[in-house]
Amino acid sequence: MNTRRTERPETHRPDETDRLDLDRFHRDHWRHRPVVLRGCGPRFLAPALTWSDVTALEGRLEGDTSGAGVHRRPDGTVLFVNQAQHTMPRLAAACEKLAGLFGWDACTADLSVTRGGGAGIGCHFDHSDNFVVQQQGSKSWRVGLPEHTSRERQRKRMLETRGFVPSGSLPPRPWEVVLHPGDVLYLPLFAPHEGVENPDGADEGSVSVSFSYNARSALGTHLKPLLRALAAQDAWWEPLPLDGADPERLEAALVRALRTITRPAPEPAGQGEA
């Protein structure tokens, strides 16, 4: 979504509000700058996950040696469950609700549990837009902006380049904020961020859920359909002459194929009617 950006003076805290205004959010923050939604957690997930829910989940995960989507620190300070909506039905229902609210075609939920002041998974950036919903305990965040990640690193993340590590690089004076139960932090895609259990908190740990929309690229969306469309174009499947292909014929066929997937012809009136 393209929106006009308003220049703002440099601050060291994200914008804060106690309500979710979708129009304002998409105008001022979507893929642009973070925002903290104080007390808006129930709009995303209610009731909140409890430590009993976490204990029950850990029991179900006990003995799971596949490692698929589940990451644990040997010292027990960190448990991270990727796409936890497949493990917790409540999160699946919340994902479905949020996808409808924001107009997404899909939504995923990652669960982060830390036990021990200062525990976290390190500074990184994502190719998804994330809403971090604090459930239990408190968490301290340091956050940058999407432009603090270079275009080349953004490109590699979107292409999921093999071997690429999406470690983040925060600016010299990053935004800092502490989330308490019921608070929500929106992190735009590509924005570097680091969240750690609040070292000053007296809680037994921290539980948070990140609801995410994974960004799509034209390459990822259209490449396979384009290859299938090209296979139907004579210029692209016929044997090449000894003197090579005719570039103009190839380009014309390429444009035709591309148009079939980016500008599909509308169905005739009455198509599919009984």
Side-chain angles (χ1 to χ4, degrees):
M1 175 179 295
N2 294 323
T3 58
R4 176 178 291 181
R5 298 183 180 181
T6 303
E7 294 298 325
R8 301 169 182 263
E10 183 68 20
T11 63
H12 300 287
R13 292 181 63 85
D15 294 342
E16 295 193 25
T17 180
D18 60 359
R19 61 190 295 264
L20 174 60
D21 182 325
L22 289 178
D23 290 336
R24 182 178 180 183
F25 167 74
H26 283 111
R27 184 187 70 235
D28 295 342
H29 298 97
W30 175 251
R31 295 189 172 172
H32 175 33
R33 59 187 281 127
V35 63
V36 177
L37 307 172
R38 294 292 183 189
C40 293
R43 290 288 304 272
F44 292 77
L45 179 63
L49 295 181
T50 66
W51 280 108
S52 295
D53 295 323
V54 172
T55 301
L57 172 64
E58 290 176 319
R60 294 197 299 273
L61 296 176
E62 191 69 30
D64 179 5
T65 59
S66 67
V70 180
H71 308 276
R72 299 181 180 89
R73 288 249 178 99
D75 60 5
T77 58
V78 175
L79 168 67
F80 184 82
V81 183
N82 187 48
Q83 299 209 20
Q85 76 275 8
H86 298 309
T87 307
M88 304 184 76
R90 283 180 54 201
L91 295 186
C95 284
E96 184 176 356
K97 180 186 72 173
L98 292 173
L101 177 66
F102 289 102
W104 302 339
D105 59 350
C107 176
T108 62
D110 297 336
L111 175 67
S112 176
V113 180
T114 59
R115 294 181 173 93
I121 63 173
C123 184
H124 63 283
F125 72 96
D126 299 309
H127 59 344
S128 58
D129 290 274
N130 304 317
F131 288 91
V132 182
V133 187
Q134 191 68 24
Q135 302 291 286
Q136 300 294 329
S138 58
K139 205 164 191 177
S140 297
W141 287 86
R142 298 193 302 156
V143 183
L145 298 174
E147 52 262 39
H148 292 138
T149 300
S150 71
R151 291 284 290 177
E152 177 61 14
R153 291 183 65 76
Q154 292 179 15
R155 184 186 71 84
K156 288 183 177 181
R157 188 74 170 105
M158 285 298 296
L159 296 178
E160 298 184 339
T161 302
R162 180 175 297 180
F164 177 71
V165 178
S167 56
S169 179
L170 290 166
R173 299 179 66 190
W175 282 338
E176 298 181 347
V177 66
V178 177
L179 294 187
H180 301 284
D183 292 339
V184 181
L185 171 62
Y186 167 67
L187 296 167
L189 82 168
F190 303 142
H193 55 273
E194 180 178 24
V196 299
E197 184 178 326
N198 189 3
D200 298 325
D203 307 294
E204 60 179 305
S206 167
V207 180
S208 61
V209 178
S210 294
F211 292 101
S212 306
Y213 174 70
N214 292 320
R216 275 65 165 160
S217 69
L219 188 63
T221 301
H222 295 309
L223 181 58
K224 288 184 179 179
L226 178 59
L227 292 176
R228 290 194 294 268
L230 285 174
Q233 296 287 328
D234 292 350
W236 283 84
W237 69 259
E238 289 177 341
L240 291 174
L242 292 178
D243 58 355
D246 177 354
E248 292 186 0
R249 185 166 179 253
L250 285 179
E251 290 170 7
L254 174 61
V255 170
R256 288 195 300 271
L258 185 60
R259 284 178 175 168
T260 65
I261 61 172
T262 59
R263 303 179 186 180
E267 292 187 1
Q271 181 83 9
E273 294 182 359

